[in-house]
Amino acid sequence: MTGPDEAVEALLHEQRQFRPSKEFSDQANATTKTYEDAASDPEAWWAEQARTLEWDTPFTTTLEWDLPHAKWFSDGTLNASVNCIDRHVASGQGDKVAFHWVGEPENDRVTITYADLLVRVSQAAHALESLGVQEGDRVAIYLPMIPEAVVAMLACARIGAPHSVIFGGFSAEALSDRILDADARFVITADGGFRRGEISPLKPAVDEALKKCPDVHHVLVVQRTGQEVSWKEGRDVWWHDIVDSQETTHSPKSFPAEHPLYIMYTSGTTASPKGIFHTTGGYLTHTSTTHRLVFDVKPKTDVCWTAADIGWVTGHSYIVYGPLANGVTSVMYEGTPDAGGRDRWWRIIEEYGVTILYTAPTAIRTFMKWGEEHPQAHDLSSLRLLGSVGEPINPEAWIWYRTHIGSDTCPVVDTWWQTETGGIMITPLPGVTATKPGAAMVPFPGISVDVVDNEGHSVPDGHGGLLVLTRPWPGMLRGIWGDEERFRETYWSRFEGMYFAGDGAKRDEEGDLWLLGRVDDVMNISGHRLSTAEVEHALVGHPSVAEAAVVGASDDTTGQAIVAFVTLKMSGEVAQGDEAGLIQELRNHVGEVISPIAKPRQIILTPDLPKTRSGKIMRRLLRDVAEHRSLGDVTTLTDPAVVSMIDDLMAEHANDDD
Ligand code: WT7
């Protein structure tokens, strides 16, 4: 056996491809005909996929496209929660497991069948209605990874109230911004959650956030940890007090296909996050179809585990809507990968016989660092397919994943998509497409992609450029909540008639696609999307800070890491010894304003920032500095001395990382 390094070398050198095995191909859901059918008439193909859902009123139109607005299946009506639950129960699948839920504390687990889920969602839907939630009302959900998160989402969908799930790691300030932007009048939260063996509070953040949100009528609180919480009579209601006593059946209403299903906030290039909103029929079609074909799902036998948080779009599409629409069994895990040992994931896979694992490169790189002995200690032979999402996967991590987790046989699908796209857009199809370590390969059937130069001209094979989407797709965002102008400006103004994704991409000599990372001021930290402006905004909100410039520097584990260059209001007045204290304070400040995931890896205090003559901060140059690259041309700097000074400061603080 060759070691992993040699194997990587060999593969990279050979530029090896993995061809689908005959065994896999013979059983695969997708075939080459899938591509042909979709290519010959994409709209008809999507309509055929949409018909696998249960419609109360069948649609007669497929696509109305008035750039940048698309409507899919618009005269059809359906209910998302019925498609995810009721129809499976009605077809005799009630006893089938929907979720094997695994809590972070050992032996804290629940198995939920489709019939159980129907009862829980029905009760929650009644409870929301009894609190006054009506069709169209936005409901903010701020929960840990517990079954109630899924139940709350589906209960909202059932009564036509769009949910806005806010990642439990976000701070009170981020929470209030999002509640206000969506004008949500109801919040569903928990007393707290478990994180690395500790209890982390959630309700106090909601209490703090709601000081700024006077229009929130009710807060529904799940008791998860049993910790003390403060209580506002009349506003706060315990979940168990109001949900558990409700009737166990609930008659669902049908909604038009374009009824809003949810809002999900994500970082753009400015300091304020944007509310990406998705509607019902197209989104469900896109998520269920991609789930079925990309993961080759066999509902009778597969156990899917999307190891992501429900607070991000990956969780929405591939823990909740896609898998449930397809009636499959999923694993849902509350905690961190090292809770209870560095083999926690592998124990879960062994115990539940997980067949399909979907995770992010940052997790894979962390497991690589922890060593092969952890997965090797477990029987992972149930796995038959591996997926990757969230950031470019480096070939080394891809091969390690396939070799050490996938026993050298599992196809690895690297899937490119975004909060905005709703579902997977670029990916191999297992059993059909060859795979190459590090490449997302080809557009999903029915999806049209191009790589263009600055003028919007398609680049030839072997060249790089900007990724664009050239036709509407069913899961596409329908807008930015309350901001039509920003919607047009962000995605549709760069190139006429094309959606600008914000990513760089390369088409190799064989025409296969490689994603190269963001080309705008959006950073990708462990698969979490953050804007440089957001972190700068948080930093300048601190009383000591005059100016801040933030860059995403490449990082071996997290993909990118945040490096901040900060000038102080009273520069020169921080004594040597106080500097470390202030830096720590600034990091915590960012953690409090946004989220701990936004804490800069490194903060450099500097008397000045490099700017162009027109006064723009030279971010690209700072990135070179942060990545310890040579500085290149600095002639346009107002003061080249600033750069070498920052460079010296960086060298001095090279070991500050923690
Ligand atoms: C950005 C979208 C997709 C759900 C999770 C992230 C990057 C995503 C890949 C991939 C290279 C990727 C892009 C994209 N990205 N998947 N397979 N290869 N880059 O959703 O938070 O909306 O972020 O993540 O830069 O634009 P998101």
Side-chain angles (χ1 to χ4, degrees):
M1 275 243 318
T2 46
D5 291 345
E6 289 159 60
V8 171
E9 274 298 301
L11 286 167
L12 294 179
H13 194 249
E14 289 169 32
Q15 297 197 326
R16 189 165 139 197
Q17 306 190 7
F18 292 87
R19 301 239 165 248
S21 69
K22 178 159 179 356
E23 197 190 346
F24 203 103
S25 294
D26 285 349
Q27 310 284 328
N29 291 349
T31 62
T32 48
K33 192 167 177 302
T34 312
Y35 283 107
E36 288 160 17
D37 291 349
S40 74
D41 190 344
E43 284 173 34
W45 188 79
W46 279 118
E48 192 187 320
Q49 308 312 310
R51 287 193 193 95
T52 64
L53 298 173
E54 186 175 297
W55 297 82
D56 297 302
T57 317
F59 57 91
T60 62
T61 61
T62 298
L63 170 67
E64 291 144 80
W65 177 222
D66 179 12
L67 190 139
H69 296 287
K71 289 182 183 165
W72 286 87
F73 321 120
S74 71
D75 62 345
T77 67
L78 75 172
N79 183 295
S81 94
V82 168
N83 271 282
C84 289
I85 325 171
D86 305 45
R87 64 167 172 153
H88 306 310
V89 176
S91 71
Q93 308 286 302
D95 291 339
K96 183 164 176 184
V97 174
F99 288 105
H100 292 291
W101 178 80
V102 183
E104 189 181 277
E106 298 282 345
N107 302 322
D108 188 0
R109 51 191 67 200
V110 182
T111 289
I112 301 165
T113 64
Y114 276 88
D116 297 336
L117 191 60
L118 182 55
V119 168
R120 286 192 182 214
V121 169
S122 298
Q123 289 186 312
H126 281 300
L128 291 175
E129 284 172 334
S130 76
L131 290 173
V133 182
Q134 292 180 4
E135 182 181 330
D137 287 347
R138 275 79 63 205
V139 177
I141 299 176
Y142 183 65
L143 283 170
M145 280 282 286
I146 55 177
E148 285 82 354
V150 178
V151 172
M153 287 167 70
L154 293 168
C156 287
R158 195 170 187 89
I159 63 173
H163 51 73
S164 167
V165 179
I166 298 150
F167 174 57
F170 275 122
S171 66
E173 200 167 320
L175 186 56
S176 63
D177 286 350
R178 286 159 177 76
I179 291 172
L180 287 172
D181 188 82
D183 191 16
R185 307 291 171 96
F186 303 88
V187 178
I188 305 176
T189 188
D191 49 0
F194 292 97
R195 204 86 195 138
R196 288 219 168 74
E198 303 209 343
I199 288 178
S200 69
L202 285 174
K203 175 71 165 49
V206 173
D207 292 333
E208 181 62 30
L210 294 195
K211 287 181 187 161
K212 290 193 206 153
C213 310
D215 292 335
V216 170
H217 306 315
H218 285 295
V219 181
L220 194 49
V221 189
V222 177
Q223 191 168 41
R224 167 71 185 126
T225 61
Q227 73 206 88
E228 277 291 320
V229 289
S230 64
W231 207 251
K232 191 162 169 185
E233 284 307 326
R235 186 194 71 183
D236 299 349
V237 188
W238 282 114
W239 176 284
H240 52 261
D241 279 347
I242 189 166
V243 175
D244 296 357
S245 55
Q246 299 288 341
E247 274 190 53
T248 54
T249 57
H250 177 275
S251 316
K253 225 186 112 183
S254 198
F255 300 101
E258 286 296 338
H259 187 80
L261 181 62
Y262 70 83
I263 307 172
M264 164 114 263
Y265 284 85
T266 189
S267 297
T269 54
T270 69
S272 63
K274 42 192 187 189
I276 304 301
F277 89 88
H278 286 286
T279 58
T280 310
Y283 174 80
L284 270 190
T285 301
H286 193 148
T287 51
S288 59
T289 306
T290 47
H291 185 252
R292 189 169 62 243
L293 297 178
V294 176
F295 301 110
D296 188 50
V297 166
K298 307 289 193 280
K300 284 210 171 74
T301 45
D302 275 320
V303 178
C304 299
W305 183 14
T306 293
D309 197 285
I310 273 178
W312 307 108
V313 75
T314 307
H316 279 46
S317 298
Y318 299 107
I319 297 177
V320 183
Y321 290 108
L324 292 177
N326 288 335
V328 308
T329 297
S330 287
V331 162
M332 178 174 164
Y333 170 55
E334 178 186 32
T336 54
D338 55 353
R342 288 180 163 182
D343 65 342
R344 187 69 189 268
W345 276 31
W346 321 123
R347 270 199 279 149
I348 292 174
I349 290 174
E350 182 169 24
E351 192 167 338
Y352 291 100
V354 171
T355 57
I356 297 163
L357 177 67
Y358 191 33
T359 189
T362 188
I364 300 164
R365 289 191 294 264
T366 301
F367 295 131
M368 284 171 80
K369 266 210 278 197
W370 289 349
E372 282 109 70
E373 62 272 26
H374 301 292
Q376 261 160 21
H378 296 275
D379 177 4
L380 305 182
S381 60
S382 57
L383 286 171
R384 63 181 200 91
L385 186 92
L386 304 173
S388 172
V389 62
E391 42 175 331
I393 180 164
N394 47 316
E396 292 78 359
W398 194 105
I399 290 164
W400 188 90
Y401 195 29
R402 186 184 148 105
T403 310
H404 296 287
I405 308 303
S407 68
D408 234 340
T409 53
C410 294
V412 175
V413 290
D414 174 18
T415 63
W416 178 91
W417 57 295
Q418 308 177 300
T419 306
E420 291 87 339
T421 69
I424 294 169
M425 301 293 279
I426 305 178
T427 177
L429 286 188
V432 186
T433 330
T435 57
K436 298 176 185 174
M441 301 301 289
V442 289
F444 184 77
I447 299 296
S448 301
V449 164
D450 204 353
V451 181
V452 299
D453 62 21
N454 276 325
E455 276 70 55
H457 303 305
S458 198
V459 302
D461 287 352
H463 286 75
L466 302 169
L467 184 72
V468 292
L469 305 171
T470 55
R471 291 173 65 94
W473 63 100
M476 73 184 264
L477 77 164
R478 298 305 197 259
I480 294 178
W481 193 258
D483 201 341
E484 168 72 14
E485 191 42 43
R486 194 174 178 194
F487 174 55
R488 287 177 182 272
E489 172 63 29
T490 309
Y491 308 106
W492 306 98
S493 67
R494 176 93 186 231
F495 302 112
E496 196 176 333
M498 296 189 255
Y499 171 94
F500 173 60
D503 278 270
K506 187 184 88 178
R507 237 201 294 256
D508 68 19
E509 299 294 346
E510 290 163 309
D512 294 320
L513 294 162
W514 299 69
L515 278 306
L516 304 174
R518 301 289 307 193
V519 295
D520 53 12
D521 291 331
V522 171
M523 300 178 288
N524 191 326
I525 317 296
S526 298
H528 297 312
R529 190 165 149 181
L530 288 163
S531 80
T532 54
E534 218 173 343
V535 181
E536 285 165 3
H537 183 77
L539 283 166
V540 295
H542 187 278
S544 308
V545 174
E547 207 174 13
V550 164
V551 295
S554 61
D555 183 280
D556 285 348
T557 307
T558 59
Q560 282 190 315
I562 302 175
V563 177
F565 299 87
V566 168
T567 65
L568 299 176
K569 282 188 179 147
M570 288 169 294
S571 129
E573 298 208 352
V574 187
Q576 278 284 305
D578 296 346
E579 218 178 270
L582 179 63
I583 287 172
Q584 198 48 43
E585 193 180 314
L586 292 177
R587 293 183 74 241
N588 292 340
H589 174 74
V590 175
E592 278 159 27
V593 174
I594 307 173
S595 157
I597 55 178
K599 282 185 184 179
R601 180 187 72 184
Q602 199 176 4
I603 294 181
I604 316 296
L605 301 181
T606 163
D608 226 332
L609 290 171
K611 291 187 183 154
T612 60
R613 289 185 208 286
S614 62
K616 270 185 83 171
I617 291 172
M618 300 188 76
R619 223 181 278 280
R620 192 176 50 84
L621 193 140
L622 287 176
R623 204 160 132 179
D624 287 345
V625 172
E627 291 175 349
H628 310 288
R629 275 199 293 270
S630 74
L631 294 178
D633 180 21
V634 291
T635 50
T636 52
L637 282 177
T638 47
D639 184 2
V642 175
V643 182
S644 44
M645 177 191 66
I646 292 178
D647 211 22
D648 291 346
L649 284 166
M650 288 286 297
E652 222 174 276
H653 296 286
N655 300 320
D656 283 356
D657 308 8
D658 59 317

